[in-house]
Amino acid sequence: MLRVALPNKGTLAEPAATMMREAGYRQRSDSRDLSMVDEENGIEFFYLRPKDIATYVGSGDLHLGVTGHDLMEESGSQVHDVLKLGFGASKFRFAAPESQDWKLEDLDGKTIATSYPRLVRSHLSGKRIGAKIIKLDGAVEISVQLGLADAIADVVSSGRTLRQHGLKVIGDPIAESQATLIEREPRPDRVDSDEIKHAKLIFIERLRGVVYARQYLMLDYDCPKSVLEEAKKITPGLQAPTIAPLADNDWVAVRSMVRKQCANSVMDQLAVLGARAILTSEIRSCRAVDGRFA
């Protein structure tokens, strides 16, 4: 049976569970449950601390896991990312008191508080900056106010929490992150059975289908045959648009996938071209979006 780790709490937990449901997998009904078996799909889910997931997957105890890319890097475990899942986006940055005009070089010789010491050391080493690193498991922002550190390195989204504590970001992001599907690095002494390989493939492609579906809309419209070639250039689809005849021989029905962010612009162009009955609909999931397993 395929064994998959999911975040048990935090900002990644609910979006991860939602994605699993959209991919057709059962999820726990009680947030206190630490595991759950989906017999129909042959998968056992384990709900773990996001920081621990890479460790469990890297050790070989679990086959796949969902965690933040930054947490994967920080763990130092023998894992690699399989698929970026499109949620939980964040940036990892330095921040220091806003009362001073800081540059990255000013961190040399200072004390930095962070929950990600491995990432911070690696980044500063590449910049030839020496600093004392203090590891904290939470509430990093308050460390400067309490005099424990001169600056911090932490995940930043809106920056509101930093401003509340009189801090501002310094320099470019150390790293950018989002929720990621990970698996252990292959080793000669850790070879999956054919059954597990097949189960992994199906699981990965189901999630890939959800990721793509969230990026696209299905676009349908009626198009005069006289402008069909121009319309096809506007809506080429992933492979090619679907063209179907209508009762009026001078018109055809066209169906094509379009990116959500471009949908309204595409609809405007089609309307100017003379297309009619232009509408979009949500896609729940899809398969073989780029020639992979269907």
Side-chain angles (χ1 to χ4, degrees):
M1 182 173 284
L2 190 67
R3 295 153 64 91
V4 179
L6 298 179
N8 67 339
K9 59 183 179 180
T11 58
L12 300 182
E14 188 53 39
T18 298
M19 174 169 278
M20 296 305 124
R21 294 188 186 99
E22 291 181 7
Y25 298 110
R26 290 181 56 234
Q27 288 295 289
R28 61 181 180 174
S29 55
D30 189 333
S31 61
R32 293 171 296 183
D33 292 342
L34 299 181
S35 65
M36 194 219 75
V37 176
D38 182 348
E39 293 281 2
E40 183 178 347
N41 290 292
I43 292 185
E44 185 171 10
F45 291 102
F46 294 85
Y47 301 91
L48 309 171
R49 292 178 64 214
K51 285 188 175 183
D52 296 335
I53 288 176
T55 301
Y56 279 104
V57 174
S59 69
D61 296 313
L62 301 174
H63 300 109
L64 295 165
V66 173
T67 190
H69 190 271
D70 54 347
L71 296 175
M72 180 194 79
E73 293 287 349
E74 175 63 25
S75 74
S77 301
Q78 294 183 324
V79 295
H80 66 272
D81 59 332
V82 178
L83 178 66
K84 291 179 172 56
L85 300 178
F87 63 87
S90 63
K91 293 182 179 181
F92 187 51
R93 311 193 68 158
F94 291 111
E98 59 185 0
S99 57
Q100 302 178 41
D101 184 19
W102 289 82
K103 297 183 180 62
L104 187 63
E105 296 77 14
D106 296 331
L107 294 177
D108 192 44
K110 298 294 192 297
T111 299
I112 302 172
T114 184
S115 298
Y116 301 79
R118 187 171 181 273
L119 282 177
V120 173
R121 288 193 183 95
S122 176
H123 185 79
L124 291 179
S125 176
K127 301 290 185 180
R128 298 181 180 274
I129 295 174
K132 179 183 178 182
I133 310 298
I134 296 178
K135 184 181 185 302
L136 298 177
D137 286 330
V140 175
E141 296 87 355
I142 200 68
S143 63
V144 175
Q145 187 175 337
L146 294 177
L148 181 67
D150 301 301
I152 67 168
D154 201 16
V155 173
V156 177
S157 51
S158 66
R160 183 177 63 87
T161 305
L162 292 181
R163 291 192 293 273
Q164 287 178 338
H165 292 87
L167 303 175
K168 64 179 181 181
V169 297
I170 304 173
D172 297 326
I174 303 168
E176 298 190 25
S177 180
Q178 64 173 290
T180 305
L181 180 67
I182 64 172
E183 70 175 344
R184 64 190 181 193
E185 294 284 0
R187 276 178 25 188
D189 61 331
R190 297 192 311 196
V191 179
D192 291 329
S193 66
D194 290 341
E195 179 184 359
I196 292 299
K197 288 179 181 178
H198 182 66
K200 271 188 180 181
L201 183 61
I202 292 175
F203 185 82
I204 292 168
E205 291 310 313
R206 281 197 186 189
L207 294 196
R208 195 189 308 278
V210 174
V211 171
Y212 271 84
R214 290 178 173 182
Q215 296 175 17
Y216 288 86
L217 292 172
M218 187 62 73
L219 179 69
D220 291 274
Y221 60 95
D222 295 342
C223 181
K225 285 184 177 178
S226 59
V227 296
L228 178 58
E229 291 306 313
E230 293 177 70
K232 286 163 63 177
K233 292 177 182 178
I234 297 173
T235 58
L238 295 184
Q239 188 74 30
T242 300
I243 313 294
L246 291 175
D248 187 332
N249 290 329
D250 293 329
W251 289 72
V252 292
V254 182
R255 165 167 279 204
S256 180
M257 287 174 66
V258 297
R259 284 195 172 272
K260 282 187 177 181
Q261 62 190 29
C262 305
N264 282 295
S265 174
V266 168
M267 295 172 78
D268 293 339
Q269 295 177 63
L270 291 172
V272 171
L273 199 60
R276 296 292 180 267
I278 308 167
L279 59 92
T280 59
S281 54
E282 294 284 342
I283 304 170
R284 291 293 301 276
S285 189
C286 55
R287 296 290 187 280
V289 287
D290 52 3
R292 291 183 172 87
F293 174 85

